[in-house]
Amino acid sequence: SRVPAFQKTRPAGSTLTRAPPKSGSKLAEIIEKHGPMSAEAMYAFTSMPEDCDDTLEHSYMGVDASTFHLRVGPNYKKKKTKAPSGSALYELVSMDFIQAETFLKDAKDAIELPSIPGVTDVETGNEFVPPMLVVNSWLPTKDHGPLSNGKLEKPSYICVIVFAIEQWVVEELKDIDNASPAVKLLAEWCREAETNVEFRGRFKAIGLVEEMEKMGIPGFITQYNGKPTLITKSGNFTRHEKYIEMAINVHLWAYVARKGMLTLLPSFAKLLINVGFTIEGRSDMELPEVLLGGCRFIRLDPAKAKVDGVHDHDECNGKEDGNAENVGVADLSINEDLDKKLAAAE
């Protein structure tokens, strides 16, 4: 019989390889001297993306925030203007990808979250804004049909991405009255999202597939490429001592969104996919939007996902014991009235 889910916890970043540094690069020198999970390496990964080798299949790296076009003012409601995002508020620390028989309700049940002095333990100066943000997504492994109950636990691909706050954001939090709109919105979201369902639902996920038009992907999927999805009823916010965890249950998305993802899933191993998260700004005082954090999936192969409860050497031997912005097509069937109102604002 199958080993029960989450019998094994793994160090953050151990289920998937981060894109290695190019030979002879400054990044390679820093990692050799300080180690890949050091404060120096985290800063270097963020500031020297050109030094990363993005040819390694089934790996990941940070994203260029400007890849994502987000809302800008003035008067976004009327003008619908978007522009490349400024620097992300959180830097990428690690990503993990696991196949399991159930949902991962708490990331630490499967992942030993990182502890990097000077990165994951910084004092932000704001009681509601933590040094780490964890995004924990549960993706279906197969199509359960349009009437599937997304609340019932099912086999899932679990994707856990860990981010650490950027130092410039910490500095702005110390003078919140004069902080940028994005930092003020971050602080407000961190304060309100635990108890205010509507405000929590401003969290948005964005998937942007590079050169999608060359991949022969159906039009009902390509039309949503790069468009944000509001995470409303499919999101769950949990506050911990040093981090906030945002869980995203894709099983709860509307069927057309789930079907689109499952159609795309077999092609993941051929694709470069930029995934980003932001908080929706609405008034001019909340704009421009800025990326919270992001991750670039490099030909991520679901068939190579680590299987929960299986030892790594057994895996190697083959032994297994939105409402896009058009807003959040994903959650339309879950929170239709709210999403229709938000869509009108787009």
Side-chain angles (χ1 to χ4, degrees), residues 10 40 55 65 67 72 104 115 118-119 128 150 154 156 161 180 182 187 227 241 273 275 290 304 309 317:
R10 307 169 189 258
E40 292 83 0
T55 62
T67 300
V72 297
L104 178 58
S115 178
V119 176
F128 299 105
K154 301 177 182 68
S156 302
I161 308 177
S180 61
K227 294 183 178 180
E241 182 180 1
I273 307 174
V275 174
V290 172
K304 295 180 180 179
N317 292 329

Side-chain angles (χ1 to χ4, degrees), residues 191-206:
R191 183 183 69 247
E192 295 290 332
E194 188 170 14
T195 57
N196 185 329
V197 173
E198 192 276 335
F199 210 93
R200 185 192 68 201
R202 289 210 202 180
F203 190 91
K204 295 195 291 192
I206 312 164

Side-chain angles (χ1 to χ4, degrees), residues 169 175 243 255 289 318:
V169 178
D175 184 15
Y243 65 97
Y255 182 63
E289 290 179 338

Side-chain angles (χ1 to χ4, degrees), residues 1-8 10 99 101 306-321:
S1 62
R2 181 65 181 272
V3 176
F6 312 120
Q7 292 299 299
K8 179 178 181 179
R10 307 169 189 258
Q99 183 179 346
E101 290 299 300
K306 296 292 185 182
V307 180
D308 176 67
V310 178
H311 295 292
D312 291 346
H313 67 83
D314 286 339
E315 289 175 315
C316 292
N317 292 329
K319 299 177 183 177
E320 294 191 11
D321 312 27

Side-chain angles (χ1 to χ4, degrees), residues 6 64 78 89 99 102 104 165 168 176 186 201 208 237 286-287 340 344:
F6 312 120
D64 178 352
K78 179 179 180 180
L89 307 182
Q99 183 179 346
T102 187
L104 178 58
I165 198 165
W168 68 267
I176 193 67
L186 168 67
L208 179 62
F237 177 105
E286 297 175 338
L287 299 174
K340 283 181 176 179

Side-chain angles (χ1 to χ4, degrees), residues 106-108 113 130-134 163 238-245:
D106 190 331
K108 70 177 185 298
L113 297 179
M132 284 193 292
L133 171 67
V134 177
F163 301 99
T238 310
R239 189 185 305 281
H240 300 265
E241 182 180 1
K242 290 292 184 181
Y243 65 97
I244 279 173
E245 180 172 347

